[in-house]
Structures are given as structure tokens and as C-alpha cells.
Amino acid sequence: MKEIKIKTKNLSLYYGAKMALNSISLDIPEKEVTAFIGPSGCGKSTFLRTLNRMNDLIPNVKITGEVLVDGLNIYDKQIDVVNLRKKVGMVFQKSNPFTKSIYENVAYGPKINGINNRKKLEEIVETSLKNAFIWEEVKDRLHDSAMGLSGGQQQRMCIARALAVEPEIILMDEPASALDPISTAKIEELIFELKKKYTIVIVTHNMQQAARVSDLTAFFYLGELIEFGKTRKIFTTPDKKHTEEYITGRFG
Amino acid sequence: MSRRKSITGGLFIGLTAFSAILIIAVIIILLVVIIIGGKDTFSWEFLTAFPEDGMMKGGIFPAIFGTVLLVLIMSIAAVPFGTITAIYLTEYAHEKSILAQTIRFAVRTLATVPSIIFGLFGLGFFIKYVGSGMDDLFLGGQLKWGQPNILWASLTMALLTLPVVIVSVEEAIRTVPREMREASLALGATKWETIKRIVIPGSRSGIMTGTILAVSRGAGEVAPILFTGAAYYLATLPTSLSDQFMNLGYHIYIMATQSANVDQTLPIQFATTMVLLLLTFMLNLTAVIIRSRLRRKAK
């Protein structure tokens, strides 16, 4: 078993008085792909966003319990949330490039981290785009607007942008849900490649996708973690009846 | 029954059409009268020369210069201040906090205050309080800042146009998608870095629209500068912030009411009005174009 990268202990989250996550305890291993599945509103995206404290942005959210990244509780008062987010990158459901050039998009993270050397920036941009399998498609138009890219290209550029700050963990919130099958296949291939270097947590609606790309799968339902284990086991011989029913498509 | 209904319906349509046409007619008549009255006087010379013969002849250059200078200083004060307020309201204040609601209420109220009140406020606050205070403090009571000048007039005008700037910038900031802010924060940017690098550049056209609308409003208003800095006639252009200045709107008012021979100055009045209208019309048109582009982008 690989080392544990992220560990949550009795993590609960409330929107006002409404409980959205109920005491989730989960261990996410290093350099593997962990998938969160479950019907809409089950809390999987909310849970994902607790891992880099993106929920901080929403008013009236209360969180109890712990999230440990490399053994440190990220909700501890001494934790610098900015540093945390450099370490825990995120790719969103809807590709969200800045209205800037491709180059400026990818260089954004390194720049705010104080890298100003042009040579160095160019290097980072090139490596990141290569690692996101999009370099060949954009190398001749780095200074064109990122808005001119196709949806799939935009999403891969957003992955490159996340890679450029050299995170250790990448959270992906349904990264392929708005893409066509070919673009989706490219993203999946990319995830497979990325897990050699990064710990990946992916939320997906697409059960086949979870089965294809992940090593571990967690099934959420109504804010609770129902079952968590090796993907092969979850998809073939789940322990819980609920999991089986969802996976075989009997509800959800 | 149905006939009576159709008659009322017809009447109503007629009434609405009449109102609409009436408005267009008023604008056309206004423009035609002004152009006919001013076209013979309007020339390059008119725009670039000083008034002569007790303002019976000559051009209006000092008034144009004064107006431009006024709106320039006004913008320097109102645009940054209004932008920062708008950023606070949209990015930092909680939508429903008492402070944010108070600011919003104040901005709305400020927008409805009659402009002459701003003039009086400028006189009382900037000239009598701040200006005289500065004279007492730095010049041993010698009169310099405690009297009307272009700085106080511009600041008074800035207060009047502040709501325009705030509302435009707020609207623009709201068109910057939440996803973009999240992307920036997720890359380890602080809130301020996100505002500086994503939100403000994304609202650039809104800031521009707000500026232009404020400028066009400021160029046309007279009441706020009546007591705070506009001069009847000056032989020289203002060279310091403590100088008075001439102004297009005020110039029209002066020539129409205070001139030695009002009838003789009529062509100058018309031509000056033409210049002022043209100026504000062009500014408004630019603002409308930028704003419509911005709205299209938001969709």
C-alpha cells in the first residue's frame, strides 16, 4: 500500500443549518487516482472542495473534523491557505481559462509565485503544456487568446495551468463532463499519465470513466460515504447493496 | 361590447404612439433650432479664440478649456475612488451586511440629490471649511484656498458623478465570472492578486464606461460649480488649482442672463450650446457602444 497523502477524519460540512457532509473519514493514497462517484447532490463535489478549502469562498459554510494533507490539518489556524492551494491544484467542471493568451494563462500561477525570469517562465509554460498533452496543438499560437481553443483544448490548457505551479495533488471536479468522447478520451489518457507524478482525486458522474481511470473509488450518497475501496472491487463485488444498485444503474 | 373594447384599444395605441413621436419631435426641434441659430457663428476660430468686446464677439476657447480641465480633475478624483468603492462592495463586503447596505443606500441617495445642493455643499465644505482651514493653517490666514477655484469645483463635481462611476464599475465587476476567480484562487493567488490581475482587467471596459458617463454628466452640469469655481469672464486660462475657470454651461447661462446685450449674443449662445451638446452626445455615444459590447460579452 502506498503512503497516505490526504486523510479526512470525521469531516462534516454544513450549509447554514443543512448538513451536506456527514462525518466522512477517508484515506487517499499518494500517486494513485481516487474517484468519487454518486448521484447529483450526494456531496462528492462539496467534499472535493474541502480538500483545498475552496468552500471557504461560500458564506455560511461550517466545517467540523479534520483534513490532513501530509499529516497537517489544513483547517488549522496556522495553515496558509494560499500555500495549500499551490500544493493542491484544481481543475474545474467547466473549463475556465482567463481571457488572456494561452501563454499568460499557464504563466499566471508561476508569476504570482514570484517567477519573473522570462526564460524560466517560457520553460515552465512549455513543460506544463507538454505534460498536459497540448503543446503540439498550441505551440505556434501561444500568444493567441485561450478563448479561441476548443472546449477539450481549453480543459487540457487548464490542466497545464494547474501543473505549472507544481502541485502535489490535483483535484478534478468532473473535468470531462462537458466534453465530447474524443476529448474525454484524451483527458483520461492524460490522467493515466499524470498519476505517475501526482496524487489525483477525481469527481465523476460517469461510472465507466471511474472504472477506467481510477485505482480507488468512493461512493457517496446523501452526504455520507457509503463505501470506499479498490475500484475493481467496488465495481465487481461491492459490500453494500446501495453501491451495487447505483453501479448497476438501478437508481441515481 | 367588443367594439367598445377595440375603440379603447385603438385609442391607447394612438396615445402611446403619440407620446413616442412627441419625444422624437422635441429632440428634432431642439436640434434644428440650435443648429439654425448657431451654424453661422460656429467655426474653427470660434472654438479656438478668446471672447472679445465684453463677450459680444470672439470665441469660447477658455470655456472649452475650463470644461475639459474640470472634468479631467473630476475624473482623477472620482474614478479611482468610485472604482475602489465598487470593488469593496462587490468583492469584500457581505451582500447583506449593514455596512454594505448603508453604502448602497448612500450611493442611491447621492444620485438623487439635486445638483444645486452639491454646489452649496462644495461651498460650505470645500471652500469655507477645508479651504479656509488650509489658509489658516499654512498661510497664516492669507486668502488663497478659501475661495472658489477649479480644484473645489472639480471635487464638488466628483461627488456628484461618483454614483455613476460606482454603479458602472459594479455592473462590470459582476460580469467577471465566478469560475475565473476560482481558477485564480485555486492557483494559489490571494484575493487581492485575483482582484488586481483578473477582476480589474476584466472590468476595464466598465470602468471606462463609468468614466465617460461621469465626464459627460460633469461637462453638462452647472449648478455644482456656480459657487465653487466658475468665473464670469477671465482674460487668461487657469494655470493653478487655485485659479478660477470658465465653463461652457456657465457661459451659456451668463450670456443669456447677464450680458449687456442679450439679443446680440444669441448666435454665440446657440453656437456654445451646439458645442456642449456635441461634446456630451459624443461622450454618451461612446459609453453606450462600450457598454453594449460589455453586455454582449457577459452573455
Side-chain angles (χ1 to χ4, degrees):
Chain A
M1 190 73 181
K2 291 189 176 174
E3 266 186 56
I4 300 304
K5 190 73 179 170
I6 307 173
K7 185 184 193 75
T8 71
K9 283 189 201 161
N10 304 322
L11 186 82
S12 296
L13 182 144
Y14 304 81
Y15 291 121
K18 190 178 162 275
M19 186 184 244
L21 293 174
N22 185 4
S23 195
I24 311 278
S25 297
L26 186 75
D27 290 352
I28 295 171
E30 192 178 26
K31 290 180 187 167
E32 298 222 67
V33 179
T34 303
F36 296 167
I37 61 169
S40 299
C42 68
K44 58 192 190 303
S45 278
T46 302
F47 182 63
L48 187 78
R49 294 166 73 96
T50 61
L51 306 180
N52 67 342
R53 292 185 51 179
M54 277 317 255
N55 287 320
D56 287 14
L57 308 174
I58 302 164
N60 294 323
V61 165
K62 204 186 110 206
I63 290 168
T64 62
E66 288 184 354
V67 178
L68 307 170
V69 174
D70 289 332
L72 290 172
N73 182 10
I74 62 168
Y75 285 91
D76 201 280
K77 281 207 168 60
Q78 282 135 25
I79 289 287
D80 179 2
V81 67
V82 166
N83 280 331
L84 168 74
R85 289 184 188 142
K86 281 172 196 161
K87 190 170 173 177
V88 188
M90 189 162 202
V91 176
F92 296 82
Q93 179 174 11
K94 211 176 119 200
S95 62
N96 51 0
F98 304 129
T99 43
K100 299 173 184 282
S101 70
I102 296 165
Y103 178 89
E104 286 298 330
N105 262 280
V106 182
Y108 184 88
K111 271 188 180 172
I112 52 172
N113 289 327
I115 298 173
N116 289 315
N117 183 309
R118 251 192 66 186
K119 254 250 138 87
K120 179 94 180 127
L121 280 175
E122 276 170 13
E123 227 177 84
I124 294 174
V125 170
E126 183 174 338
T127 317
S128 308
L129 288 168
K130 276 181 177 162
N131 288 340
F133 291 176
I134 191 175
W135 172 251
E136 288 302 320
E137 292 159 65
V138 300
K139 64 178 177 189
D140 298 322
R141 47 169 171 155
L142 289 178
H143 296 282
D144 291 358
S145 171
M147 296 309 196
L149 298 173
S150 74
Q153 289 173 326
Q154 282 188 6
Q155 194 60 301
R156 275 178 288 145
M157 190 211 69
C158 289
I159 293 173
R161 188 174 64 185
L163 297 180
V165 289
E166 297 178 340
E168 293 167 27
I169 300 163
I170 302 173
L171 310 177
M172 297 185 169
D173 191 358
E174 299 186 43
S177 67
L179 303 179
D180 61 75
I182 293 171
S183 302
T184 302
K186 281 187 181 159
I187 300 269
E188 287 181 10
E189 199 184 332
L190 175 56
I191 291 171
F192 217 75
E193 211 47 48
L194 290 176
K195 79 169 188 181
K196 292 174 187 163
K197 280 172 72 181
Y198 306 91
T199 303
I200 293 176
V201 187
I202 179 170
V203 164
T204 178
H205 256 300
N206 180 330
M207 233 94 61
Q208 285 79 22
Q209 186 171 63
R212 281 193 300 264
V213 302
S214 70
D215 304 298
L216 294 151
T217 297
F219 172 59
F220 287 82
Y221 185 63
L222 297 176
E224 308 217 10
L225 176 64
I226 305 295
E227 192 169 352
F228 178 51
K230 291 229 180 290
T231 298
R232 202 182 309 126
K233 179 163 187 309
I234 296 274
F235 278 89
T236 50
T237 51
D239 291 334
K240 302 273 167 63
K241 196 158 169 284
H242 232 105
T243 316
E244 193 191 343
E245 280 175 354
Y246 181 69
I247 283 162
T248 52
R250 241 171 282 163
F251 84 100
Chain B
M1 182 68 183
S2 86
R3 194 163 151 211
R4 210 164 82 205
K5 259 191 187 164
S6 78
I7 290 174
T8 2
L11 269 177
F12 188 69
I13 292 171
L15 196 68
T16 50
F18 177 73
S19 316
I21 290 166
L22 196 67
I23 289 168
I24 298 171
V26 167
I27 292 172
I28 290 174
I29 292 168
L30 197 79
L31 286 176
V32 167
V33 168
I34 290 168
I35 289 168
I36 290 175
K39 70 176 191 316
D40 293 335
T41 316
F42 186 81
S43 66
W44 180 243
E45 168 105 43
F46 181 72
L47 295 176
T48 54
F50 271 68
E52 284 164 29
D53 284 350
M55 297 200 286
M56 305 285 204
K57 284 187 187 147
I60 53 165
F61 181 67
I64 296 176
F65 183 85
T67 305
V68 171
L69 198 61
L70 172 82
V71 296
L72 194 73
I73 301 171
M74 173 205 85
S75 307
I76 291 170
V79 173
F81 194 61
T83 305
I84 290 167
T85 310
I87 289 172
Y88 175 77
L89 282 175
T90 47
E91 299 291 320
Y92 288 103
H94 283 287
E95 193 70 23
K96 284 181 181 123
S97 73
I98 293 173
L99 183 61
Q101 286 188 336
T102 311
I103 296 171
R104 269 176 229 281
F105 178 73
V107 170
R108 275 201 303 276
T109 310
L110 209 59
T112 59
V113 171
S115 52
I116 190 74
I117 309 290
F118 282 97
L120 287 170
F121 175 80
L123 177 67
F125 180 72
F126 289 125
I127 298 175
K128 295 293 173 202
Y129 183 72
V130 181
S132 297
M134 281 164 70
D135 287 345
D136 288 343
L137 210 60
F138 304 118
L139 301 167
Q142 190 195 334
L143 188 65
K144 183 179 184 193
W145 295 103
Q147 56 190 348
N149 65 34
I150 189 150
L151 176 66
W152 302 141
S154 301
L155 292 184
T156 307
M157 201 63 102
L159 288 179
L160 177 94
T161 53
L162 205 52
V164 180
V165 178
I166 294 173
V167 171
S168 297
V169 178
E170 259 198 277
E171 190 188 344
I173 288 178
R174 285 183 206 286
T175 64
V176 177
R178 196 178 60 127
E179 289 84 11
M180 256 183 229
R181 291 163 216 252
E182 285 190 341
S184 171
L185 293 167
L187 290 168
T190 60
K191 187 154 188 178
W192 167 239
E193 283 165 338
T194 303
I195 290 172
K196 192 174 69 178
R197 289 169 184 264
I198 303 297
V199 177
I200 295 179
S203 337
R204 221 182 281 139
S205 52
I207 296 171
M208 201 130 83
T209 323
T211 310
I212 295 169
L213 287 175
V215 164
S216 109
R217 177 96 197 270
E221 283 283 350
V222 176
I225 57 170
L226 271 182
F227 322 119
T228 53
Y232 177 84
Y233 173 74
L234 292 169
T236 53
L237 298 176
T239 54
S240 139
L241 288 176
S242 60
D243 284 346
Q244 285 195 289
F245 63 103
M246 289 179 73
N247 173 278
L248 283 170
Y250 190 57
H251 195 61
I252 296 169
Y253 166 72
I254 289 296
M255 282 191 299
T257 58
Q258 316 286 308
S259 172
N261 187 339
V262 172
D263 289 336
Q264 205 188 321
T265 61
L266 261 181
I268 297 183
Q269 289 176 41
F270 275 119
T272 311
T273 311
M274 232 170 101
V275 173
L276 185 55
L277 265 183
L278 218 62
L279 188 73
T280 48
F281 175 72
M282 283 187 327
L283 286 168
N284 276 314
L285 193 69
T286 321
V288 167
I289 292 169
I290 297 175
R291 181 169 282 190
S292 73
R293 276 203 198 137
L294 181 72
R295 291 214 171 121
R296 225 175 307 144
K297 200 181 81 188
K299 273 172 201 163

